[in-house]
Amino acid sequence: MTGSGSDSDGQQYDATPFLPSRGGLPAHRRAAADCHGCPLFRDATQTVFGAGTSSARVMLVGEQPGDQEDRQGEPFVGPAGGLLKRALRDADIDAEQAYVTNAVKHFKFTLATRGKRRIHKAPSLREMTACRPWLTAELHLVGPEVVVALGATAGKALLGSSFRVSKDRGTLIPLPGDNEDAVVVPTLHPSAILRADDREAAYAGLVSDLRVAADALAGKR
């Protein structure tokens, strides 16, 4: 996904001007804290950049930060993150050796009709496109061998708008761009598992998809 997004008034959404010209993940994390590349920064508590080691062989990409992630400034620290860590363990992937991030770095939400509860709202295509430079930088700086796309938004950010998680989940897809040998393994987002009617079966499917990623890593040793 390339280019910048714009709203109906023609305003350009693009994070590119906020990226540092040099430096590794720490420099990019500091720069991302001041990103105003799209309007989502206005309501979010803070930017939630990726976390993990720059030598990670596997990168996990979700949609966007949730409520807890927005408050704590770290990705996957809420209920979905807890489920993901358990699934990684069951799939024999060391979560401590993975890099986790999101396609969009600010929490998008609406307020509940009553009370102050913040309800997740999916990012738009132009918001995803605007934030893509950060994800591209993370992919370049980490250089993962396997990228797990958690859900439709992550899959579209990595593979393009024609991606369908229901069709492609659990398969190995070459990652477009400069990471020539990297592959993408699409699966459901952990939050979808938490919402599933049959949570046990949905969880088993997530673990099965993650085992495809684990097998791909083993084959690359």
Side-chain angles (χ1 to χ4, degrees), residues 44-200:
T45 304
Q46 58 193 313
T47 304
V48 181
F49 201 71
T53 174
S54 61
S55 60
R57 298 179 65 215
V58 59
M59 178 184 286
L60 300 129
V61 182
E63 178 186 87
Q64 65 169 349
D67 180 79
Q68 290 301 312
E69 289 79 7
D70 174 71
R71 297 180 192 278
Q72 298 183 43
E74 293 287 336
F76 290 97
V77 293
L83 185 143
L84 177 61
K85 289 176 182 176
R86 179 162 63 93
L88 287 169
R89 184 172 61 250
D90 288 346
D92 294 322
I93 296 176
D94 185 357
E96 297 300 319
Q97 297 301 313
Y99 185 89
V100 293
T101 191
N102 285 294
V104 173
K105 310 302 192 211
H106 285 112
F107 180 34
K108 183 177 182 179
F109 61 91
T110 57
L111 290 175
T113 304
R114 296 183 179 182
K116 297 181 179 180
R117 187 166 65 91
R118 302 187 300 176
I119 302 172
H120 161 274
K121 186 176 182 181
S124 68
L125 176 61
R126 67 177 182 268
E127 290 157 352
M128 289 167 52
T129 304
C131 207
R132 172 68 206 220
W134 292 116
L135 180 59
T136 299
E138 289 173 297
L139 288 166
H140 173 71
L141 292 167
V142 177
E145 298 169 40
V146 177
V147 182
V148 178
L150 299 166
T153 297
K156 290 177 187 296
L158 291 163
L159 299 168
S161 58
S162 63
F163 169 80
R164 296 292 181 270
V165 67
S166 58
K167 178 173 71 74
D168 296 321
R169 65 174 299 183
T171 61
L172 297 174
I173 303 173
L175 176 66
D178 297 331
N179 301 65
E180 295 180 357
D181 297 326
V183 293
V184 179
V185 179
T187 188
L188 296 180
H189 194 283
S191 62
I193 310 301
L194 294 173
R195 297 191 302 267
D197 293 333
D198 189 343
R199 190 179 297 185
E200 185 175 338

Side-chain angles (χ1 to χ4, degrees), residues 5 11-16 18 35-43 104-106 108 123-124 126-131 134:
Q11 179 184 353
Q12 294 297 306
Y13 294 172
D14 187 4
T16 301
F18 299 91
C35 184
H36 296 172
C38 80
L40 294 184
F41 79 93
R42 295 172 185 160
D43 295 323
V104 173
K105 310 302 192 211
H106 285 112
K108 183 177 182 179
S124 68
R126 67 177 182 268
E127 290 157 352
M128 289 167 52
T129 304
C131 207
W134 292 116

